Amino acid sequence: MTHQIELENVEKHYGSFHALKTVNLAIPKGQFVALVGPSGCGKSTLLRSIAGLERITSGVLRIEGERVNDLPPRKRDLAMVFQSYALYPHMSVRDNLTYALRLKGASKAERAKKAEEVAAIIGLENLLDRRPKALSGGQRQRVAMGRAIIRNPRAFLFDEPLSNLDAALRVRMRKEVRALHDRLGATSVYVTHDQIEAMTMADHVVVMRLGVIEQQGAPLELYERPANRFVAGFIGSPAMNFVPGTMAADGASVVLDLEGAPTLPTAIKAEPGLKVDVGLRPEHLTMGAPGVAGSATIGIAAVESTGSSCFLFADGDPELIITTDGSTNVKAGDQVGLTIAPERIHLFDPESEMALRSGE
Amino acid sequence: MTRVNANRVMLVIAIMLAALYLFPLYWMYVTSLKTNSSIFAVPPEFLPGEPQWENYATIWDVANIPRFIWNSLVIATGVTVITGIVGAGAAYVLARYRNGWIDAALFTVLMLQVLPPSLMVTPIFVGFAWIGLLDFPRFAAILAISAKTMPFFVILCRAAFMTIPRELEEAALVDGNSRAGAFFMIVLPLARNGILISALLVFMQGFGEYVYSASIIADNRLQPASIGMTNFLQPNVVNWNAIMAFAATYVTPILAAFVLLQRQIVNGLTAGALK
Amino acid sequence: MGRWVQGLRDGIGFDTMLVLFALLYLFFFAGLPLIYNIVISFQSVDVFSLGSLVHPVVGIDNYTAIFADPLAQRVLINTLIFTIGSVTIQFTFGFALALFFHQRFPGATWIRGLFLAAWVMPGLVVGVLWNWLLSGDFGVINHVLESVGLIDEPVFWRSDVDTSLYSVLIANIWYGTPFNMILLAVGLAAIPDDLYEAAELDGATAFQRFWTITLPMMRPTIGAVLALGTIFTLQQFDLFAAITQGGPAGSSTVAQYWSWELSFREFDFGRGAVISVLMIVVVLFVSLIYVRSTKAETQL
């Protein structure tokens, strides 16, 4: 199958700095791919390399099967939505939208028609004659998207398009961007540092760190089966708790280095006596009365309540975070009994940081 | 071609362009070191055969350079002091506020910097003659030149003051300073660099000024170096090496200061001109 | 009394005093002369009557004398040629240099700054330099032009009636181009990079990017630079004094030099004032454009 965008063993160096290391990515037509990771992980570099704004040092980049390593950006037929929107300040919204058409020599009538069409799609019909400085942040963002849509490109590239919006607007726009993608049947590559955006919007999530793709797959797969400790800690909010532990002598359970915690049976195969890092998601920990058998007794240092859920911070080292739905009567200073669902734990090798899997 | 190679090529071109542009300066220094006959060599020598450093010594005595340069210094210093004292305060106020009065003042200052000295010198000369200021030629010249440099200085300093956050002054006021105290103890020291660069540019202008000095100062013991140079420009002048030595002596301090402070000067200029 | 003094150290008194100080100075040494200029232009003033404030009034005699002067037309044409020529060529070279240095190769900023060395030099020295460079028999420029084959025999730039104005023009272009370049460079730098990237992705070639993005966004800067350039060119005096002294036979006399000549060579201050008044009107008009341009600058 010919993918819409394909990167094969792509490397990028800036002088001596190795920005992208052996990147392999295949994006089929119609897929929404999120590139996510902390600052400096190379996600923007990767996006800009696909666009042609950066040249890759080695490897192959293909768009619709055609090798485009040396093709200048304006010939790649890709559209990009910039973080700062990059709207032309001296042009009206209409002229911003139809800029690419003007360059191709489209007639005035044709440009007007397309402008109206796209304006209707993005909901800015009444603002066509305004200048960007007279628009709100959300409106500017939509003009940036409209400018991309009007070109009917081979793929859309998004460079953190929502980071400049306030929180409430961001939530709404997430839905709208994805809806637009579906409606147009487009192929999209979306860069963000926010893993929630990646998880909620994408079909396929690519987690990057320091130029390397740590793991890629469907959102749920990354959540349930993280390949290493970094991905496990990056995906999911609040982040996963890590507690040191040791495999029990029977090789089928793990002893946590947490006072009072029961030995947890596990299907994950590892050598008896092996030191492991145990991953516990805050939402997979349950609280009950302290002192009950089978639960670890811990003290609570702080409680944060948002109304719909609560975050509880345990005292001690490591500081565990527990999430519950709704509200709780637990206060700072209380003791609680912590129960852990054994089938929900993750095990990681402390040195390689790779996840240990159950052998099936 | 790779980015690095493209950069190297452009650097070479840039150096060539700069060399081409700065050739007249080079030619000045080269000519100043030539003998009386080699300046007329055909084809012209691009490197002096044997550098005649004595030319500088000769011109120093013959042309009375020390006196001329001294007068230039006096005038330049006077202009800088007056412009600085009168202008800095105004620049500060114009930077702090925006209202109808301020805009009017700003507009006036902007417009006043465009008046050509060659045109203003007529009424100023007649006016000074009436008051009797012409009996103090250098002082009169300083006053006239300051009026020319002040708008320029105010605009540059204003840009420098505008970079100082208001919060710093407000903090000083809350801590018990008066406005005047806050100005002298907080704002002025912080804006010092911008003010100094502006003052340097004013000094350079005063040092090289010609029109007012030439028109107002008749006594050639009090004339600055710019007029001293014109004494050499007879119709059939021959001793170009001497003239160039004079020019070089006159101009080298300014060039030296410029090369050292180039970056700051460019920053100061651009901030002021486009705001 | 105490309150008044306190008003000076605090509050509005402090501010007003600072501004007033400068405005008063400028009023006496720039404002009054402007008005006095107009007054003198209607009077007959010579060396002997200099000491008094009031001079014999001659109505518009000075004005008619100027307009009837055979030199007037020559001066007008010279001023136009000099100003338009200087501004357009300085601008073109300055813009080309600014675009070149905008490529941002290492060392670009420092080398670009070197060009300003010419601008800080006293105009008179620049004039003397070019006097020597353009010298008819022994000037190095003639030598280079001849070796390259552009001319057959030396051009007597300064003393030939046809070329004297251009000798000053050439010097002025050298003198003023860096200033244009720096201001234009700042305007160029103000355009965000991602606009160019967006345009490139939209399909624009380098020329199209220049035409649809760079030029329109530089409009306020270009306006300011052209206005400033015109203002400075109209002020240019030192170069004329050093290179041609307005001659030969008025072939390189421009308005601002003529005014000075009338006042300080012929000692007819009245007629000198006439030209001064007329020219100042022109200069003020151009500076209105400059002020409006810098206002537009902040609005984009």
Side-chain angles (χ1 to χ4, degrees):
Chain A
M1 162 171 72
T2 309
H3 291 100
Q4 191 74 350
I5 299 177
E6 202 176 328
L7 290 109
E8 195 180 303
N9 293 327
V10 165
E11 309 271 343
K12 168 97 187 121
H13 288 87
Y14 286 109
S16 55
F17 175 61
H18 199 167
L20 294 175
K21 302 172 184 158
T22 320
V23 169
N24 282 291
L25 183 59
I27 305 174
K29 189 167 157 70
Q31 188 178 71
F32 192 113
V33 173
L35 302 179
V36 68
S39 292
C41 68
K43 53 193 191 294
S44 280
T45 309
L46 185 52
L47 192 77
R48 290 168 62 89
S49 302
I50 298 175
L53 296 171
E54 308 277 354
R55 297 202 61 150
I56 59 182
T57 316
S58 69
V60 185
L61 172 64
R62 290 196 197 88
I63 301 182
E64 285 183 343
E66 168 200 346
R67 181 197 153 106
V68 298
N69 286 34
D70 304 310
L71 207 57
R74 59 188 177 84
K75 294 211 178 111
R76 297 195 185 191
D77 197 19
L78 301 169
M80 186 148 151
V81 179
F82 290 81
Q83 183 174 6
S84 64
Y85 317 134
L87 299 183
Y88 309 120
H90 54 295
M91 299 185 200
S92 65
V93 168
R94 179 184 285 109
D95 288 337
N96 261 283
L97 291 176
T98 56
Y99 180 71
L101 298 178
R102 246 184 312 151
L103 289 176
K104 288 208 203 83
S107 72
K108 196 155 179 203
E110 208 181 311
R111 294 194 323 248
K113 183 157 121 353
K114 297 228 88 173
E116 300 282 334
E117 276 172 26
V118 172
I121 296 179
I122 57 178
L124 292 176
E125 302 95 318
N126 301 328
L127 300 174
L128 281 173
D129 290 308
R130 291 233 194 132
R131 291 280 171 99
K133 70 174 189 273
L135 299 176
S136 72
Q139 289 167 333
R140 285 184 211 173
Q141 207 271 344
R142 278 189 266 159
V143 175
M145 295 199 20
R147 196 171 60 179
I149 294 172
I150 204 170
R151 292 181 40 207
N152 209 4
R154 294 199 274 190
F156 289 89
L157 307 174
F158 295 88
D159 192 356
E160 307 209 39
L162 305 183
S163 7
N164 291 347
L165 302 175
D166 63 64
L169 200 48
R170 225 181 298 162
V171 173
R172 232 178 51 214
M173 289 305 297
R174 269 189 349 224
K175 184 172 89 52
E176 284 193 30
V177 170
R178 176 72 215 216
L180 220 41
H181 163 96
D182 292 330
R183 176 172 163 183
L184 297 171
T187 311
S188 301
V189 184
Y190 187 99
V191 163
T192 177
H193 62 269
D194 182 353
Q195 52 96 27
I196 296 182
E197 267 178 33
M199 297 290 281
T200 56
M201 297 171 77
D203 302 316
H204 187 83
V205 175
V206 176
V207 178
M208 294 182 70
R209 178 169 66 145
L210 297 175
V212 173
I213 295 184
E214 294 282 351
Q215 188 177 0
Q216 50 174 308
L220 215 48
E221 186 180 322
L222 265 59
Y223 177 84
E224 290 179 349
R225 277 179 294 281
N228 57 39
R229 194 186 148 136
F230 172 74
V231 176
F234 189 82
I235 302 285
S237 175
M240 183 186 283
N241 296 299
F242 292 101
V243 178
T246 325
M247 287 305 284
D250 61 4
S253 53
V254 57
V255 178
L256 285 154
D257 188 6
L258 185 64
E259 199 177 306
T263 306
L264 299 167
T266 172
I268 300 172
K269 294 279 174 283
E271 281 201 12
L274 181 68
K275 289 251 182 280
V276 293
D277 284 328
V278 184
L280 308 163
R281 288 209 183 271
E283 53 270 27
H284 295 154
L285 299 171
T286 355
M287 287 187 311
V292 171
S295 71
T297 305
I298 55 172
I300 298 295
V303 180
E304 284 176 2
S305 169
T306 68
S308 58
S309 52
C310 281
F311 306 113
L312 298 110
F313 298 83
D315 58 29
D317 174 44
E319 184 195 58
L320 296 176
I321 307 178
I322 306 151
T323 316
T324 62
D325 283 336
S327 54
T328 177
N329 293 325
V330 178
K331 298 181 307 297
D334 288 353
Q335 298 264 312
V336 296
L338 197 64
T339 334
I340 305 163
E343 65 279 9
R344 295 294 216 164
I345 66 174
H346 301 259
L347 295 183
F348 302 95
D349 183 307
E351 273 149 37
S352 71
E353 297 197 353
M354 299 299 292
L356 302 169
R357 291 262 184 257
S358 52
E360 290 134 352
Chain B
M1 119 167 35
T2 67
R3 181 83 224 166
V4 176
N5 284 344
N7 281 351
R8 290 210 190 105
V9 168
M10 291 204 276
L11 187 60
V12 168
I13 297 180
I15 295 180
M16 279 172 25
L17 284 174
L20 191 65
Y21 183 78
L22 294 176
F23 177 76
L25 291 181
Y26 170 75
W27 197 236
M28 172 180 76
Y29 285 108
V30 164
T31 308
S32 71
L33 294 172
K34 287 184 176 173
T35 65
N36 281 337
S37 49
S38 63
I39 46 182
F40 300 114
V42 176
E45 297 172 356
F46 284 91
L47 283 171
E50 292 159 18
Q52 305 283 315
W53 298 98
E54 314 83 79
N55 288 345
Y56 282 93
T58 320
I59 203 77
W60 190 264
D61 295 324
V62 165
N64 250 302
I65 282 195
R67 195 189 65 214
F68 282 123
I69 301 244
W70 172 252
N71 288 331
S72 291
L73 279 174
V74 166
I75 294 177
T77 311
V79 168
T80 310
V81 165
I82 292 188
T83 306
I85 294 181
V86 179
Y92 164 71
V93 175
L94 291 177
R96 274 282 157 263
Y97 306 104
R98 288 309 298 246
N99 59 42
W101 289 110
I102 296 292
D103 279 353
L106 206 48
F107 181 76
T108 314
V109 166
L110 268 173
M111 295 299 261
L112 284 177
Q113 75 171 332
V114 309
L115 301 172
S118 51
L119 299 175
M120 294 297 288
V121 71
T122 300
I124 285 183
F125 185 79
V126 177
F128 278 8
W130 171 59
I131 310 179
L133 255 183
L134 293 182
D135 295 333
F136 307 95
R138 284 183 304 190
F139 183 58
I142 290 176
L143 289 178
I145 301 172
S146 298
K148 162 92 187 105
T149 56
M150 192 167 317
F152 176 70
F153 181 76
V154 166
I155 290 176
L156 285 189
C157 271
R158 175 174 176 263
F161 281 123
M162 295 207 314
T163 62
I164 301 186
R166 252 207 176 181
E167 286 86 38
L168 289 178
E169 267 183 273
E170 290 170 350
L173 290 177
V174 167
D175 278 347
N177 252 320
S178 64
R179 287 293 311 285
F183 174 66
F184 284 107
M185 300 206 315
I186 308 284
V187 180
L188 219 43
L190 283 175
R192 195 189 49 182
N193 285 344
I195 298 180
L196 283 179
I197 289 293
S198 313
L200 179 66
L201 286 170
V202 167
F203 186 86
M204 287 180 179
Q205 286 189 345
F207 194 69
E209 206 278 335
Y210 177 69
V211 185
Y212 283 133
S213 311
S215 318
I216 294 176
I217 307 178
D219 183 347
N220 63 6
R221 288 167 304 171
L222 300 175
Q223 287 172 341
S226 50
I227 303 181
M229 285 209 69
T230 51
N231 292 340
F232 276 81
L233 295 176
Q234 323 302 342
N236 296 311
V237 64
V238 285
N239 51 344
W240 283 106
N241 49 352
I243 299 179
M244 289 300 139
F246 192 144
T249 318
Y250 185 21
V251 139
T252 303
I254 295 186
L255 285 179
F258 174 77
V259 170
L260 285 174
L261 297 168
Q262 186 214 82
R263 202 165 35 98
Q264 292 91 320
I265 292 179
V266 173
N267 287 344
L269 262 182
T270 54
L274 289 178
K275 286 218 169 21
Chain C
M1 177 68 174
R3 250 195 47 183
W4 182 73
V5 170
Q6 172 160 55
L8 282 180
R9 287 174 62 228
D10 260 315
I12 311 194
F14 180 65
D15 298 320
T16 337
M17 194 182 68
L18 286 179
V19 182
L20 228 41
F21 202 18
L23 285 181
L24 276 176
Y25 187 93
L26 287 175
F27 174 72
F28 279 110
F29 293 101
L32 275 189
L34 264 183
I35 303 173
Y36 197 41
N37 211 9
I38 304 179
V39 171
I40 301 178
S41 67
F42 294 109
Q43 298 175 336
S44 161
V45 186
D46 56 35
V47 192
F48 305 106
S49 54
L50 265 185
S52 53
L53 174 61
V54 185
H55 313 102
V57 175
V58 292
I60 60 167
D61 282 2
N62 287 329
Y63 283 85
T64 43
I66 290 291
F67 286 121
D69 195 318
L71 202 48
Q73 202 189 32
R74 178 83 247 151
V75 167
L76 181 62
I77 296 177
N78 286 345
T79 313
L80 281 173
I81 295 178
F82 185 71
T83 309
I84 297 178
S86 292
V87 173
T88 48
I89 300 180
Q90 281 173 359
F91 177 79
T92 311
F93 281 164
F95 206 179
L97 283 172
L99 284 171
F100 173 70
F101 282 107
H102 190 63
Q103 304 298 315
R104 279 189 217 129
F105 47 92
T109 329
W110 197 83
I111 297 187
R112 189 183 70 185
L114 282 183
F115 280 75
L116 267 188
W119 190 76
V120 298
M121 287 180 57
L124 204 58
V125 175
V126 173
V128 169
L129 275 183
W130 280 91
N131 201 331
W132 171 226
L133 285 167
L134 291 170
S135 176
D137 289 316
F138 304 105
V140 75
I141 295 220
N142 272 337
H143 168 76
V144 169
L145 289 178
E146 272 181 277
S147 343
V148 175
L150 280 173
I151 55 177
D152 295 320
E153 42 174 34
V155 177
F156 285 83
W157 300 93
R158 293 158 29 221
S159 43
D160 188 339
V161 170
D162 295 320
T163 56
S164 59
L165 185 65
Y166 297 102
S167 63
V168 188
L169 183 61
I170 295 174
N172 196 31
I173 290 172
W174 185 85
Y175 197 25
T177 296
F179 189 68
N180 279 260
M181 174 187 72
I182 290 286
L183 290 189
L184 289 167
V186 170
L188 273 178
I191 304 177
D193 277 341
D194 52 14
L195 284 187
Y196 291 119
E197 289 180 347
E200 203 178 345
L201 282 166
D202 275 347
T205 62
F207 177 74
Q208 284 169 322
R209 294 199 295 271
F210 180 74
W211 193 254
T212 60
I213 308 237
T214 313
L215 278 188
M217 290 197 69
M218 294 264 304
R219 231 170 13 132
T221 307
I222 294 179
V225 167
L226 287 177
L228 270 180
T230 310
I231 292 170
F232 285 144
T233 304
L234 288 172
Q235 288 181 348
Q236 190 48 257
F237 180 88
D238 300 11
L239 291 182
F240 287 98
I243 302 182
T244 60
Q245 295 90 47
S251 55
S252 67
T253 305
V254 291
Q256 61 266 33
Y257 193 79
W258 197 26
S259 167
W260 184 84
E261 260 192 334
L262 288 172
S263 292
F264 292 92
R265 289 283 173 266
E266 300 182 29
F267 296 106
D268 189 339
F269 294 95
R271 283 198 294 152
V274 168
I275 306 197
S276 180
V277 168
L278 295 173
M279 278 299 291
I280 288 181
V281 167
V282 172
V283 168
L284 285 177
F285 177 68
V286 175
S287 26
L288 266 174
I289 303 179
Y290 166 58
V291 173
R292 279 189 48 214
S293 289
T294 52
K295 282 204 154 163
E297 181 83 7
T298 54
Q299 272 160 20
L300 201 66

